[in-house]
Amino acid sequence: MRYLLLIYGDEKVHASVPPAEMETVFAEYGRFTAELGASGRMLGGEPLTPTSTATSVRVRSGKTLVTDGPFAETKEQLGGFYMIEASDLDEAVKWAAKIPGARFGTIEVRPIWEIHKKGVTEAGRS
Amino acid sequence: MPEVREAIEAVFRREHGIIAAALVRAAGGDFDAAEDALSEAFELALVKWPEDGIPENPAAWLTTAARRRAIDRARRSKVLDRKLDSLREGLDPAGTDPEFPEQDGRLEDDRLRLIFTCCHPAIDMEARVALTLRTLGGLATSEVARAFLVPEPTLAQRLVRVKQKIRDAGIPYRIPPRELLPERLEGVLAVIYLIFNEGYSASAGDSHVRAELSSESIRLGEVLATLMPEEPEVLGLLALMLLHDARREARVGPSGELVLLEEQDRSRWDRAKIARGTTLLDRALALGEAPQGPYVVQAAIAALHDAASRPEETDWEEIAALYEALGQQVPSPVVALNHAVAVAMARGPRAGLERLALLEADGRLERYHLFHAARADLFRREGRSREAAAAYRAALALVENAAERRFLERRLEEMEATP
């Protein structure tokens, strides 16, 4: 199965982290990404710029409405993601727990809805 | 023939967990397919058994019949061959006679798999409990709904959602690997103990269904103890439930009121359950290492109460020490409250009141009626009736259970009558 691991954290806290500490966390992410890549389970993953750069788009009655800011104001914001291949939720959770951000924020594990190849996922599970 | 139907229902209920476990595995973790097949097999039994008699091994008959239904269904809906293969495994392809020799080891693994899947931490606690009772316990959706005082459609919805989550989130249908076992086991034990407490606390709801919940949780505890005989906490939980359940008859008075431990007629305690619980506890203690786990410690406390033939013979010093040990593992104000009460019983109400004063400052038990009831009781024992009455009133403002309310009111009247 494919899973999206969404990395949530408090941007205000991130902004106040001293640069040296930030370096350490970046290095940890580097090591984690290398480990995930070497395992052959990584399908993708990127960090995101802060929500201060976010733009929300809605189309209503055919009109495109563009507003500044993220979709929802929450305590923790989406800061990056990994897409992985895992045999089940336990494996996905194992990888999620290794993401450095899991220690400060929350990793949301979401299965990809395999609309186009439903049969394949069912086989993968049996 | 109502008596045949009753017999079939009894078998169905008793064997539900075993059959469901085998079927869910065979259906590749598909709970719905397993459940549908099982109810079709049940319908078939209702037709066949009155004619042919109840088969020698009813569980095997139902399992085989259900598997054949599942295969038919899978064929009709053209699901993958792999799923069909796993359903067919072990079935005689030409056989029409639904007699199926299950391998014992496999059956046990199936049941463990089912328990661990139903109690997976990614499933919401309420849903875990409902799914466990429904699938392993074989309780009807309406019965589970009644036990937890939720409308049946709500519970049915909850079950649908949880089965969807198991399927779509990829929750594995398996016994967790060794490195995950301790934390997963904790989750399983928590579900079983919660079911037991729901049945035991008699806070509300149908008393018949509640008694059913307690015996169901003990049955699940027995299954788990058979499957994992070397796990001290598994044995500890079963011992704990048995040692409490032994007092079931004595803790409710003739008009349904709650009878406190020290006022119970101890001759009505179930000696066989106490003996069994004590044996299990001894085995758990021998298997485990210090510090013992929370279920073992709580079972030890219950065993000390059960061992006293009169309230005055209770070893309160030892119980206080055990609560202290428990508090170090499970830091909770409720455990601290129990510790304070045990200290009061061992060394006098003043020592207990000192500890309760610390808890009062902490503030977390302010809305907990038993905290105020305990304070009231210690004031009463100290002869401080005015303070006792005030604390009883505080407890009465918070209590929900009718039996407990009547008890507190009685005590309050006594205090008000005392100058």
Side-chain angles (χ1 to χ4, degrees):
Chain A
M1 289 177 74
R2 291 187 298 163
Y3 291 88
L4 196 57
L5 311 180
L6 300 156
I7 306 161
Y8 283 88
D10 188 337
E11 285 176 352
K12 281 198 219 86
V13 175
H14 292 173
S16 64
V17 172
E21 227 170 283
M22 221 43 182
E23 284 301 312
T24 320
V25 176
F26 280 148
E28 283 179 26
Y29 266 103
R31 278 195 296 277
F32 170 75
T33 309
E35 187 191 343
L36 184 60
S39 76
R41 298 306 235 178
M42 179 154 160
L43 301 174
E46 301 293 346
L48 303 177
T49 55
T51 50
S52 56
T53 65
T55 305
S56 294
V57 180
R58 297 171 183 83
V59 176
R60 297 289 182 274
S61 321
K63 219 181 138 204
T64 303
L65 306 168
V66 176
T67 47
D68 171 50
F71 162 62
E73 296 288 346
T74 46
K75 201 169 161 286
E76 295 190 323
Q77 296 81 27
L78 183 62
F81 67 92
Y82 286 95
M83 169 117 73
I84 63 163
E85 175 66 36
S87 51
D88 54 40
L89 184 63
D90 283 353
E91 192 193 340
V93 167
K94 187 193 85 184
W95 286 114
K98 285 187 176 184
I99 297 178
R103 298 203 310 273
F104 324 110
T106 308
I107 313 298
E108 185 173 318
V109 179
R110 295 282 292 271
I112 300 295
W113 191 0
E114 306 281 9
I115 299 179
H116 301 296
K117 39 177 186 173
K118 193 159 185 289
V120 176
T121 48
E122 285 205 0
R125 217 176 296 137
S126 55
Chain B
M1 270 181 276
E3 65 278 16
V4 176
R5 192 187 169 99
E6 248 169 57
I8 296 172
E9 271 170 4
V11 168
F12 192 65
R13 179 65 204 285
R14 195 178 62 232
E15 312 285 355
H16 195 283
I18 300 178
I19 305 170
L23 282 172
V24 177
R25 193 227 332 125
D30 188 334
F31 278 68
D32 282 325
E35 213 170 279
D36 290 345
L38 190 48
S39 53
E40 282 179 34
F42 177 66
E43 295 301 322
L44 187 69
L46 284 177
V47 178
K48 289 266 183 194
W49 295 6
E51 290 170 19
D52 307 347
I54 294 176
E56 213 164 292
N57 186 343
W61 192 99
L62 285 166
T63 310
T64 308
R67 282 219 213 180
R68 292 193 192 285
R69 302 299 117 186
I71 291 170
D72 286 348
R73 253 167 198 276
R75 254 198 218 115
R76 269 184 310 224
S77 64
K78 293 198 184 68
V79 298
L80 290 163
D81 287 346
R82 228 172 121 179
K83 197 167 186 176
L84 267 177
D85 284 346
S86 97
L87 281 165
R88 281 205 196 99
E89 202 188 303
L91 274 183
D92 172 10
T96 43
D97 174 28
E99 219 38 71
F100 178 66
E102 267 292 0
Q103 307 95 311
D104 279 346
R106 190 111 201 225
L107 266 182
E108 292 184 357
D109 283 355
D110 279 343
R111 270 206 287 186
L112 267 186
R113 248 181 227 122
L114 189 57
I115 292 177
F116 277 105
T117 305
C118 290
C119 299
H120 195 280
I123 302 171
D124 161 72
M125 191 63 174
E126 282 182 344
R128 273 190 241 174
V129 169
L131 188 65
T132 302
L133 284 171
R134 177 77 195 88
T135 313
L136 273 156
L139 264 70
T141 307
S142 59
E143 288 177 295
V144 183
R146 239 181 313 147
F148 292 94
L149 302 173
V150 290
E152 195 178 332
T154 309
L155 194 97
Q157 258 303 312
R158 202 177 280 169
L159 284 169
V160 168
R161 269 202 308 269
V162 64
K163 282 183 273 190
Q164 265 166 9
K165 168 135 194 201
I166 289 176
R167 193 185 60 224
D168 296 341
I171 291 177
Y173 187 60
R174 62 161 188 197
I175 302 165
R178 187 155 291 282
E179 72 270 16
L180 289 178
L181 204 56
E183 58 169 279
R184 287 298 159 80
L185 189 57
E186 220 179 283
V188 171
L189 297 177
V191 167
I192 297 177
Y193 193 41
L194 194 146
I195 296 171
F196 178 78
N197 279 326
E198 274 302 315
Y200 196 67
S201 66
S203 57
D206 189 320
S207 66
H208 173 73
V209 177
R210 298 205 153 247
E212 190 99 315
L213 285 184
S214 290
S215 38
E216 191 53 50
S217 58
I218 290 174
R219 215 165 59 95
L220 288 170
E222 296 273 9
V223 170
L224 206 58
T226 317
L227 300 174
M228 308 179 94
E230 307 287 313
E231 290 289 337
E233 281 288 86
V234 170
L235 305 180
L237 172 61
L238 180 56
L240 172 63
M241 295 192 293
L242 286 166
L243 292 166
H244 273 283
D245 202 51
R247 303 180 213 137
R248 171 176 292 281
E249 292 292 311
R251 70 195 283 274
V252 181
S255 43
E257 77 276 17
L258 188 77
V259 183
L260 286 191
L261 190 54
E262 59 172 332
E263 287 164 2
Q264 286 174 16
D265 174 1
R266 299 186 176 216
S267 69
R268 291 175 69 203
W269 287 358
D270 187 330
R271 293 289 141 198
K273 275 187 186 150
I274 293 174
R276 177 96 211 294
T278 311
T279 310
L280 282 163
L281 171 63
D282 287 342
R283 220 167 81 214
L285 285 167
L287 283 167
E289 286 161 26
Q292 298 281 355
Y295 291 110
V296 174
V297 175
Q298 290 176 85
I301 293 169
L304 284 171
H305 283 299
D306 288 352
S309 49
R310 288 181 304 134
E312 309 83 77
E313 284 167 20
T314 311
D315 188 347
W316 284 107
E317 275 295 349
E318 184 65 24
I319 290 175
L322 286 168
Y323 271 122
E324 193 161 14
L326 185 62
Q328 274 154 15
Q329 288 191 59
V330 201
S332 114
V334 175
V335 173
L337 170 62
N338 283 316
H339 178 233
V341 171
V343 166
M345 296 306 288
R347 294 165 224 163
R350 189 159 308 160
L353 282 167
E354 277 167 21
R355 281 182 164 73
L356 288 184
L358 294 175
L359 270 171
E360 193 178 16
D362 168 282
R364 275 183 294 171
L365 291 177
E366 207 182 301
R367 310 288 312 155
Y368 187 52
H369 72 279
L370 288 180
F371 170 72
H372 299 284
R375 273 184 80 223
D377 189 54
L378 296 188
F379 281 132
R380 182 184 65 88
R381 284 171 202 261
E382 274 264 273
R384 290 154 73 175
S385 51
R386 226 160 33 97
E387 284 149 299
Y392 278 123
R393 280 188 211 104
L396 275 163
L398 297 166
V399 71
E400 279 173 20
N401 181 299
E404 284 181 72
R405 167 171 296 279
R406 280 194 295 277
F407 168 79
L408 291 169
E409 280 168 351
R410 215 172 64 223
R411 277 281 154 88
L412 177 59
E413 276 166 34
E414 279 170 35
M415 288 305 100
E416 283 169 342
T418 319

